[in-house]
Amino acid sequence: MRTTQYLLGTLKENPANAEVVSHQLMLRAGMVRRVAAGLYTWTPTGLKVLRKVEQIVREEMAAAGALEILMPMVQPADLWQESGRWEDYGPELLRLKDRHQREFVLGPTHEEVISELVRKEISSYKQLPMNLFQIQTKFRDEIRPRFGVMRSREFIMKDAYSFHTSDACLEKTYQAMYDAYTRIFTRLGLNFRPVIADTGSIGGDMSHEFHVLASSGEDAIAFSTESDYAANVELAEAVAPSTPRDEATQELNKQATPNVKTIDDLVSQFNVAIEQTVKTLIVHGTDDHGEPTLVALVIRGDHSLNEIKAAKIKGVLSPLVFATEEEIQAAVGAGPGSLGPVGLKLRTIVDRSAAVLSDFVTGANDDGYHYFGVNWERDAACTEVEDLRDVVEGDPSPCGKGTVRIARGIEVGHIFQLGTTYSDAMKVSVLNESGKSQNLAMGCYGIGVSRIVAAAIEQHHDDKGIIWPEATAPFQVCILPMNMHKSVRVKEVAENLYSELQAAGFDVLFDDRKERPGVMFADMELVGVPHTIVIGERNLDEKAVEYTARNSSEKVKMPIEDVVSYLKGL
RNA sequence: CGGCGAUUAGCGCAGUUUGGUAGCGCACUUGGUUUGGGUCCAAGGGGUCGCAGGUUCAAAUCCUGCAUCGCCGACCA
């Protein structure tokens, strides 16, 4: 491709409204343009990268035995009503009507459509297992789209769905997908980790997320320092402390703390260690008779509540709903800044780490007062102990080996064993070997294709621009002729090399613009082309050109006739 | 949905406090100059100042409403 015939679209200045580096670079390198919130046009350079990612995903899915299909983006509402998600999905599901006033949705995912297909097409266990995938545009009406294509409303996803007559068979395909995903992200040149994940609203038993490690990632991941264990912090277990609770040494005493509204106030004004404080959070729940009630959750002052863990406790509303200040006042008689387990008349669930404290400090359920020297059993009941908090750096690893380290990741893939949730709702069944109708076990496997492009840039860039891994670079090589418009020799060598490289199968960008050298260098570095050949009068007397790799500052002078074989050998 | 902020040329911004008929840099066009790291000089094109209403002799500027966009939070395969 010649730059004079190409839409390069590079920007010298950083666009406003682009927060993360991948978003900035995608705009500056001319890969995408914003159309509306969370909606982007992929311009030629961006589309080339996107297609390369798609192709790798497609090849590895096919190699793992999945069959490619293409389902519609617009889906009839009745399928969603059948699965129950018409009600459950909420405002993220964009609903629309056609000219006959029939209701449709813009597909955020395709479990319903695939179930509809499979229940019609597959009728015998002999046709199973089957794994079908597509690479399709999805639409999710995100509350807050951000970070460019990283969290957009319209995005491209590879989604696969597998169907089985037994859990053992599902597990086998699940493992095959796990392995395929590992190959895909390896081929893409990404530093990634599979992590144990929450199954979330989609349900099911077993789930892994694949995360590209990057400081800008939206998810926190807990790793073991000594094993392969990795889990999303949402899910990672905070192991119960092995040391038993110390004996009480202090008397319970109530002190006036008029200016204390938060744990930080308490720590700074009364000289107590934050680890010796306890905070109490009030959430909505139901009692044994299913009646609405409030539940108190107690965690150590320096820890933070894990809402997913809390919501999984029986009798706690899921998703978690915090009590309002008015509700707390009505139930306890004190404001949120003065709550504590002593004398509290609500069901109280204590976090494992809070449960081993002694002589601790907590609110007195009386505005402006705290209890000091509090001890469990003696001063407050501690009957229910659960894992309620996020793990923190230095905790013992849940796997039993090493301690926890926290890193940030961008979720680029997610695989689930769904079981029969959808096939029960959608009646996806076949006749099994004994001639009985059986609902199918199902797995689903997603990869955020467009998100991968952004994630790759987060991981591979410097202050000059993008540094594409070989596999996803928009062009493999670029030719930069110095003052070609003044030098017949330079033009001739550049044109010849351009033809030769193309003939040898390289995707090459030939910068034939009448631009100053600095402009060309800056643009090619911004776009991130991995290999650059510079042709200038300076070296032509020796019939030589100069090679540089994007990921190195080293300049290599080489004879013109060696260029093709040199690049082939890389 | 709550809090905060923004909206002036294709992009990045100044001008708004104190009302007086719109400016800078980049990009673009033309001519010259320069030529291995975003040259320099000159000339030029491009704006219903987000929209609607109001105040005023006069509104980018003051007032009211709305829209769009972004940040933080809540939410989310």
Side-chain angles (χ1 to χ4, degrees), chain A residues 356-384:
Chain A
V356 298
L357 293 180
S358 57
D359 300 334
F360 59 90
V361 183
T362 185
N365 299 324
D366 187 356
D367 283 333
Y369 290 91
H370 279 72
Y371 280 117
F372 289 68
V374 182
N375 284 278
W376 293 115
E377 314 303 346
R378 188 188 75 187
D379 307 319
C382 183
T383 47
E384 278 192 84

Side-chain angles (χ1 to χ4, degrees), chain A residues 136-434:
Chain A
Q136 234 299 27
T137 297
K138 307 282 191 208
F139 190 93
R140 291 181 192 173
D141 202 354
E142 292 275 353
I143 299 168
R144 182 146 90 90
R146 64 189 124 170
F147 304 153
V149 301
M150 192 98 87
R151 180 170 290 279
S152 50
R153 291 193 292 175
E154 189 178 293
F155 59 100
I156 295 177
M157 178 168 164
K158 185 284 301 175
D159 47 330
Y161 307 88
S162 70
F163 297 86
H164 315 265
T165 48
S166 74
D167 287 343
C169 180
L170 168 58
E171 280 159 29
K172 214 170 137 191
T173 298
Y174 184 85
Q175 186 59 44
M177 285 295 102
Y178 185 103
D179 295 341
Y181 275 35
T182 301
R183 283 194 298 274
I184 288 166
F185 298 121
T186 302
R187 276 184 66 182
L188 288 168
L190 299 172
N191 180 15
F192 72 97
R193 288 291 286 271
V195 310
I196 304 165
D198 183 51
T199 50
S201 55
I202 215 163
D205 315 315
M206 176 69 162
S207 176
H208 283 87
E209 290 167 352
F210 287 75
H211 282 264
V212 167
L213 303 184
S215 54
S216 60
E218 291 186 272
D219 287 288
I221 300 158
F223 296 93
S224 164
T225 50
E226 291 184 16
S227 79
D228 285 342
Y229 176 86
N232 197 310
V233 164
E234 288 179 348
L235 193 86
E237 183 185 359
V239 183
S242 50
T243 48
R245 185 190 299 155
D246 284 336
E247 291 296 314
T249 65
Q250 298 175 5
E251 291 304 310
L252 181 68
N253 90 81
K254 185 170 172 179
Q255 289 192 27
T257 52
N259 300 316
V260 173
K261 284 273 175 279
T262 66
I263 292 286
D264 286 342
D265 295 341
L266 192 62
V267 169
S268 58
Q269 293 175 33
F270 288 85
N271 192 32
V272 292
I274 193 166
E275 297 81 7
Q276 286 300 116
T277 65
V278 139
K279 57 187 170 190
T280 304
L281 306 162
I282 311 290
V283 299
H284 285 252
T286 51
D287 63 17
D288 296 342
H289 312 292
E291 296 297 319
T293 178
L294 294 177
V295 179
L297 305 174
V298 177
I299 59 176
R300 223 167 72 182
D302 58 323
H303 287 148
S304 60
L305 179 72
N306 181 310
E307 298 189 20
I308 290 176
K309 289 177 182 175
K312 281 181 182 163
I313 295 171
K314 199 164 184 288
V316 173
L317 217 61
S318 177
L320 207 65
V321 180
F322 285 97
T324 62
E325 189 155 354
E326 293 73 42
E327 289 167 334
I328 294 171
Q329 280 289 356
V332 184
S338 304
L339 299 177
V342 181
L344 191 62
K345 296 280 188 300
L346 297 173
R347 177 184 169 197
T348 302
I349 304 169
V350 183
D351 179 66
R352 290 164 170 178
S353 299
V356 298
L357 293 180
S358 57
D359 300 334
F360 59 90
V361 183
T362 185
N365 299 324
D366 187 356
D367 283 333
Y369 290 91
H370 279 72
Y371 280 117
F372 289 68
V374 182
N375 284 278
W376 293 115
E377 314 303 346
R378 188 188 75 187
D379 307 319
C382 183
T383 47
E384 278 192 84
V385 177
E386 298 280 355
D387 175 16
L388 288 179
R389 67 175 176 93
D390 283 335
V391 287
V392 293
E393 196 114 5
D395 278 347
S397 173
C399 66
K401 277 182 276 179
T403 55
V404 166
R405 238 188 42 222
I406 309 268
R408 301 205 69 85
I410 301 164
E411 183 191 350
V412 290
H414 201 158
I415 57 178
F416 299 82
Q417 291 179 25
L418 293 176
T420 58
T421 315
Y422 288 90
S423 33
D424 290 345
M426 305 279 299
K427 299 182 182 62
V428 186
S429 63
V430 296
L431 291 186
N432 63 20
E433 285 163 286
S434 31

Side-chain angles (χ1 to χ4, degrees), chain A residues 2-5 479-495 510-517 520 535-537 540:
Chain A
R2 293 169 191 266
T3 46
T4 52
Q5 288 159 33
I479 297 173
L480 297 192
M482 301 292 102
N483 304 308
M484 181 171 75
H485 299 272
K486 286 279 173 67
S487 165
V488 184
R489 282 208 299 174
V490 168
K491 183 171 171 61
E492 197 178 291
V493 171
E495 290 284 356
F510 176 17
D511 199 347
D512 61 341
R513 292 176 298 176
K514 193 178 172 181
E515 280 291 357
R516 294 185 56 85
M520 294 179 168
I535 301 167
E537 280 286 347
L540 283 187

Side-chain angles (χ1 to χ4, degrees), chain A residues 66-104:
Chain A
L67 302 171
E68 186 166 4
I69 59 171
L70 186 59
M71 293 181 270
M73 195 189 164
V74 176
Q75 309 175 9
D78 52 355
L79 287 178
W80 285 74
Q81 283 154 357
E82 192 177 347
S83 74
R85 292 208 290 183
W86 178 257
E87 278 78 31
D88 296 346
Y89 217 94
E92 222 179 80
L93 182 66
L94 185 68
R95 298 150 210 253
L96 43 115
K97 283 180 183 165
D98 71 3
R99 62 167 73 195
H100 304 293
Q101 300 303 305
R102 278 190 294 248
E103 292 190 292
F104 290 86

